Amino acid sequence: TLLANDLSPDGRWASYRHNYESGMDTLFVKNVADGRKYSFPKASQGRFASTDSYAFISESGMLCVLKMESAQTLEIQKV
């Protein structure tokens, strides 16, 4: 199943997820203009934190913040 998840405040980025019967769900963040795409297997609860960052919970339960323009992901433990 393909599900829409969230849209960035400026409308440049969209997030969606693929849910599979196997439970191997994947969260995606995609630039709607140029097609850049990031994928996060077994991630959940994704939300845009601002026009350039996306926060989600990783498979291991850590809070992660993706900086979309630089493709860097910050992992925050013990949240």
Side-chain angles (χ1 to χ4, degrees):
T1 305
L2 178 65
L3 301 169
N5 196 46
D6 200 11
L7 187 63
S8 67
D10 63 2
R12 292 182 30 197
W13 294 87
S15 70
Y16 58 95
R17 61 184 302 111
H18 281 177
N19 289 348
Y20 301 96
E21 287 183 26
S22 65
M24 299 296 288
D25 303 344
T26 303
L27 183 63
F28 295 90
V29 177
K30 183 175 182 177
N31 184 298
V32 297
D34 66 20
R36 277 181 290 166
K37 180 170 53 174
Y38 305 106
S39 61
F40 306 99
K42 296 187 178 180
S44 62
Q45 300 181 32
R47 296 289 180 265
F48 287 96
S50 66
T51 58
D52 67 345
S53 59
Y54 185 77
F56 61 94
I57 304 298
S58 71
E59 175 184 6
S60 62
M62 285 191 289
L63 174 64
C64 298
V65 179
L66 167 68
K67 294 292 190 177
M68 282 109 49
E69 294 301 327
S70 66
Q72 293 181 329
T73 302
L74 170 67
E75 295 180 338
I76 304 169
Q77 297 180 8
K78 298 181 182 180
V79 173

